[in-house]
Amino acid sequence: MVSGARKHVLITFGRSFLTLNLARQLAAAGHKVSTCDSLPITVSRFSNAVSSFHRVSPPKFKPQEYCREVAELVKSEGIDMVIPIHEETDILSMMAGLFPPTCELFLSPFELEDMLHNKFSFQEALVERGFPTLKFAKIASAEDTEGLDFDTPFAVKQTYSRGSQKVYKAHPGQSLDFLTFDPANPWIAQEWMEGDRYCTYSVCRDGEVFAHATYPVSYAIDGSSCLAFTQVDHQPILDWVQRFAKSVNFTGHMGLDFIDHPEKGLYTIECNPRGTSGIMMYTRENRLDRAFFGENTEIISPPEGRTRMIGVGMTLYGWRKSGRAGNSLRQFFRDFRAASDVIYDPQDRLPAVMLIPAYIAILTHGYKYKVGLAEAFMHDHEWDGHKI
């Protein structure tokens, strides 16, 4: 693709607020944007930044059909770049050979995407590259639980999992007989450490970081999926991300979860080699599109102190004790009033108007698969390690 030229970009996972926000930025920079999703009603479909919406098969349940349909869209619509947002990234990377060489898939080879997505192999990769890690162990069977030798509390979660799923806090000697085992998706036990929690979002090409955002975990669904985001300057985290991205020669967007302990230092809990909520701290004037095409020479970051929120998420979950991260209700209301909503935009009002129909579609989807609202939002775009 010619540098600075107008491109036609297809963004997947059209129901996501990340997709909506990125579409607005790309369109404002002069690019043509299409989106796709397995749901018929999505917030991005009604954005004036989106030129066309396409309904496709659910990637989790019909992965081959999904990839073929997206590849056909690339050919029929003249797409220059596909930017996957959620875990369909892994599925598309497995079938990258379907796509014409004229279109760039903004992702890394499957082997790298899989290594980063898998929480156990990611920790192994850190050890191999000399990064400090918290103590960790794989739990693939009931016998493995008996061999755990943690002398402090530890987290237990599946190696392929995400913020909407349960993380158990276990203690040395505690029985883990409640765990069930999937050969393709074992569990990881990881030392539990208290400290300042941060999340990042970075856009990388060929191991170089072109955009980066860092935000502390404040309001989140059960302390995991962030609902409010404030940009902070944390140079050690940026240094860490740059070093790691170069060490694996990563291309794509990436989110990382960090613990910064006042005495022990900085540790990385897990990696999400896909779009994450930090993308919503960027606005049109940041020209984030340049990072995706590798056109900027300095790292693009939101201005320090910028605060955005998912208003509907804050309304549903942020005020709850489990979602406030120690903040009082009074503080919640102050922060709610101070933050700008990522969905409402005076230049693009219809997505906010269509939130109710869009959420009805997600709730209907959740009823079909017998999962709650938070899980239903991403359920058919997840990937849990099962090869296609």
Side-chain angles (χ1 to χ4, degrees):
M1 291 180 287
V2 179
S3 177
R6 183 174 186 262
K7 285 95 174 179
H8 188 177
V9 180
L10 175 65
I11 312 176
T12 64
F13 202 41
R15 76 192 72 171
S16 173
F17 305 138
L18 281 67
T19 299
L20 173 63
N21 198 57
L22 181 56
R24 286 168 169 168
Q25 295 179 64
L26 291 173
H31 303 290
K32 183 179 180 180
V33 181
S34 296
T35 63
C36 64
D37 200 293
S38 61
L39 293 180
I41 302 175
T42 70
V43 287
S44 67
R45 178 174 186 170
F46 302 99
S47 170
N48 58 28
V50 174
S51 63
S52 63
F53 168 82
H54 306 272
R55 191 175 183 188
V56 291
S57 297
K60 179 176 181 176
F61 303 110
K62 296 183 177 180
Q64 295 188 25
E65 292 91 334
Y66 172 80
C67 291
R68 291 192 181 100
E69 289 163 7
V70 175
E72 185 55 39
L73 285 175
V74 165
K75 297 169 186 174
S76 63
E77 300 293 316
I79 303 294
D80 298 302
M81 176 184 280
V82 175
I83 302 179
I85 293 295
H86 196 46
E87 292 175 10
E88 67 276 6
T89 303
D90 300 85
I91 296 169
L92 287 168
S93 68
M94 268 187 273
M95 303 186 71
L98 290 173
F99 293 81
T102 54
C103 175
E104 179 180 5
L105 292 180
F106 193 67
L107 45 74
S108 289
F110 171 72
E111 292 75 18
L112 178 54
E113 294 283 351
D114 183 38
M115 179 271 282
L116 298 176
H117 185 178
N118 183 304
K119 292 174 173 53
F120 182 78
S121 63
F122 172 61
Q123 294 298 318
E124 287 187 312
L126 294 182
V127 173
E128 291 171 2
R129 289 162 176 79
F131 290 85
T133 66
L134 300 174
K135 185 175 182 179
F136 65 99
K138 182 187 287 187
I139 308 175
S141 66
E143 290 73 22
D144 290 339
T145 65
E146 299 169 2
L148 295 176
D149 61 350
F150 288 84
D151 53 12
T152 61
F154 56 95
V156 178
K157 52 193 172 183
Q158 287 190 287
T159 54
Y160 294 99
S161 59
R162 64 242 14 120
S164 65
Q165 295 181 334
K166 185 70 176 177
V167 176
Y168 300 98
K169 184 177 183 179
H171 295 268
Q174 177 181 337
S175 172
L176 298 176
D177 59 3
F178 59 88
L179 298 180
T180 57
F181 297 98
D182 176 352
N185 190 11
W187 300 81
I188 179 175
Q190 188 175 40
E191 178 185 350
W192 190 286
M193 178 180 283
E194 300 295 340
D196 295 329
R197 299 171 60 202
Y198 296 93
C199 295
T200 66
Y201 171 75
S202 305
V203 179
C204 309
R205 293 185 69 94
D206 302 320
E208 298 295 327
V209 176
F210 283 82
H212 176 80
T214 302
Y215 51 102
V217 177
S218 54
Y219 298 96
I221 301 175
D222 295 327
S224 57
S225 298
C226 288
L227 299 168
F229 326 97
T230 299
Q231 169 68 12
V232 298
D233 180 15
H234 196 305
Q235 189 63 41
I237 287 180
L238 174 56
D239 293 341
W240 193 106
V241 173
Q242 288 180 300
R243 179 185 163 201
F244 181 73
K246 185 174 289 292
S247 75
V248 296
N249 195 34
F250 182 72
T251 293
H253 38 190
M254 171 195 297
L256 293 146
D257 295 343
F258 288 91
I259 295 286
D260 194 354
H261 191 278
E263 298 173 358
K264 298 181 179 180
L266 193 64
Y267 291 89
T268 312
I269 305 302
E270 62 187 50
C271 176
N272 296 302
R274 52 179 173 81
T276 63
S277 298
I279 198 172
M280 293 186 286
M281 287 195 294
Y282 289 90
T283 55
R284 293 176 176 89
E285 67 271 15
N286 296 128
R287 286 297 310 274
L288 187 60
D289 65 294
R290 294 174 297 155
F292 283 92
F293 303 119
E295 296 174 352
N296 53 297
T297 56
E298 294 186 358
I299 294 176
I300 302 171
S301 293
E304 187 172 6
R306 173 179 285 167
T307 301
R308 312 288 309 280
M309 70 171 179
I310 302 174
V312 65
M314 287 283 278
T315 302
L316 292 172
Y317 301 101
W319 58 270
R320 303 180 187 186
K321 187 175 181 179
S322 64
R324 285 188 268 125
N327 293 312
S328 66
L329 266 176
R330 179 175 294 181
Q331 185 63 45
F332 165 78
F333 286 115
R334 282 200 294 263
D335 293 339
F336 188 91
R337 288 193 297 269
S340 62
D341 184 36
V342 300
I343 303 162
Y344 176 74
D345 186 329
Q347 299 180 49
D348 187 27
R349 299 173 186 270
L350 197 52
V353 174
M354 296 302 294
L355 266 179
I356 291 177
Y359 266 84
I360 289 174
I362 294 170
L363 285 168
T364 303
H365 176 74
Y367 178 78
K368 175 182 178 180
Y369 293 109
K370 298 180 172 56
V371 296
L373 175 61
E375 294 86 351
F377 194 84
M378 57 189 72
H379 182 66
D380 66 346
H381 279 64
E382 296 170 356
W383 186 71
D384 292 334
H386 296 85
K387 300 292 172 64
I388 298 174

